[in-house]
Amino acid sequence: MELHHRSADTTPMTPDDDRPAPFGRALCAMVTPFTESGALDLDGARRLAERLVSGGCDGLVLSGTTGESPTTTDAEKAALVTAVREAVGDRAALVAGVGTADTRHTVELALAAEKAGADGLLVVAPYYSRPPQDALEAHFCEVADASGLPVMLYDIPGRTGTRIEPDTMVRLAGHPRIVAVKDCSYDLLGTQKVLSRTDLAYYTGCDEQVLALYALGATGYVSTVANVVPGLFRAVLDAFDAGDTGRAALLQRRAVPLVEAMMASGLPGTVTAKALLGALDLPAGPVRAPLRSADGETAAALLAAYGELAADAGQFQA
């Protein structure tokens, strides 16, 4: 079963109100395909990246949470950027996840990503050690100073244990290469405070909040669900930009069953995305330990939610 979407022009765009879009608007947090034996599947990565860009993604975030960055090697991360660049050329921005718990290691990954052909860096707050805000600020500035690439801060305290506080975000916005935020903070007030005081491009990392944050001035999204339906949330943004807010809301609501199945089932989005991609015979493969691949019952439930959305596929045509 396949959802067909219009082939979109993936040149990065900005809406009529001219909000910043350094990496485009519609980004996918791409899974990292593996072979059945668990090796990096570069051919599968090329095929998946091509499908995502042809389906409506302006950019791809590689080696993020969904890309299983904690369990891929430095060499694999660089090889993935190179392979995906070969597949999509300059049709999409490539943002490489380089964040670790170690500033020195993060700098090394940033330089390697730049050499491999990335357009930007996704840098998560250092996890486990839970640095105070002044140390956090210094960490991000050191990474941003290390290469010539623009940086997207990744605020996901539920995983890292450390929030990038709004006041810290405002200070970091003064760095010339810190240009964007992937927001998984679930703090609507804090997000609005930063939007009102900076020119940072905000990308929601929570699929259920795409329209809500976009209406408040966010640039777009970095979506895990886009691995399966790359045109889904782009249609939401397009409807909003066209002034049809009712249609935008309708499309966002129609996505709820699939978003819930993939992102609120108690399993990591990596696991559900790979299970559904596999059920659709698309490149994915297993997840790496300590994660475990979804069982057959979960895969069937995901496929059912996808099928429900597929029945409304016409809603996502231009």
Side-chain angles (χ1 to χ4, degrees):
M1 187 192 311
E2 176 68 71
L3 273 176
H4 296 282
H5 305 285
R6 65 183 177 86
S7 178
D9 176 7
T10 55
T11 302
M13 298 170 56
T14 54
D16 292 339
D17 57 4
D18 216 20
R19 31 188 141 187
F23 308 113
R25 300 179 305 154
L27 279 66
C28 176
M30 195 177 104
V31 303
T32 300
F34 299 133
T35 66
E36 288 306 312
S37 65
L40 182 63
D41 181 4
L42 291 178
D43 181 61
R46 293 185 189 96
R47 288 186 288 119
L48 180 59
E50 171 61 37
R51 176 181 182 271
L52 295 174
V53 172
S54 296
C57 293
D58 298 326
L60 303 175
V61 174
L62 308 175
S63 298
T65 304
T66 305
E68 298 180 76
S69 59
T71 55
T72 56
T73 67
D74 294 3
E76 286 175 328
K77 289 177 174 65
L80 183 64
V81 172
T82 299
V84 172
R85 175 60 74 204
E86 291 170 354
V88 304
D90 61 359
R91 292 178 294 142
L94 301 186
V95 181
V98 299
T100 73
D102 175 1
T103 302
R104 181 174 56 182
H105 188 197
T106 303
V107 166
E108 291 171 354
L109 288 175
L111 294 173
E114 183 177 30
K115 184 177 180 180
D119 297 301
L121 306 173
L122 178 73
V123 187
V124 73
Y127 39 85
Y128 188 76
S129 56
R130 302 183 69 178
Q133 292 297 303
D134 60 340
L136 192 61
E137 184 177 349
H139 168 84
F140 285 124
C141 287
E142 185 171 342
V143 176
D145 286 341
S147 83
L149 295 181
V151 169
M152 178 188 290
L153 305 175
Y154 187 7
D155 189 18
I156 183 166
R159 285 183 180 270
T160 65
T162 301
R163 176 78 197 279
I164 310 175
E165 296 292 346
D167 287 344
T168 304
M169 204 82 77
V170 170
R171 292 192 299 272
L172 287 167
H175 194 290
R177 281 193 291 280
I178 295 177
V179 300
V181 177
K182 180 182 177 184
D183 183 15
C184 293
S185 66
Y186 286 97
D187 176 8
L188 197 57
L189 178 59
T191 295
Q192 291 178 82
K193 287 171 63 177
V194 179
L195 282 169
S196 68
R197 295 170 60 189
T198 76
D199 291 325
L200 289 171
Y202 255 74
Y203 294 84
T204 179
C206 307
D207 293 82
E208 71 275 21
Q209 294 188 349
V210 168
L211 180 57
L213 262 64
Y214 196 63
L216 290 169
T219 292
Y221 57 82
V222 178
S223 168
T224 294
V225 174
N227 279 281
V228 181
V229 278
L232 174 62
F233 291 117
R234 186 179 182 115
V236 173
L237 303 192
D238 288 346
F240 187 90
D241 289 343
D244 193 346
T245 56
R247 174 175 165 77
L250 174 65
L251 295 178
Q252 178 77 53
R253 291 196 301 270
R254 288 191 184 279
V256 166
L258 183 60
V259 171
E260 184 175 25
M262 290 184 67
M263 308 305 294
S265 66
L267 293 173
T270 306
V271 173
T272 56
K274 281 195 163 184
L276 188 45
L277 285 167
L280 296 169
D281 199 26
L282 293 168
V287 293
R288 283 183 176 171
L291 296 179
R292 300 181 67 182
S293 296
D295 58 26
E297 183 179 352
T298 299
L302 288 162
L303 198 56
Y306 176 87
E308 182 179 334
L309 189 62
D312 288 333
Q315 294 286 339
F316 299 95
Q317 302 293 336

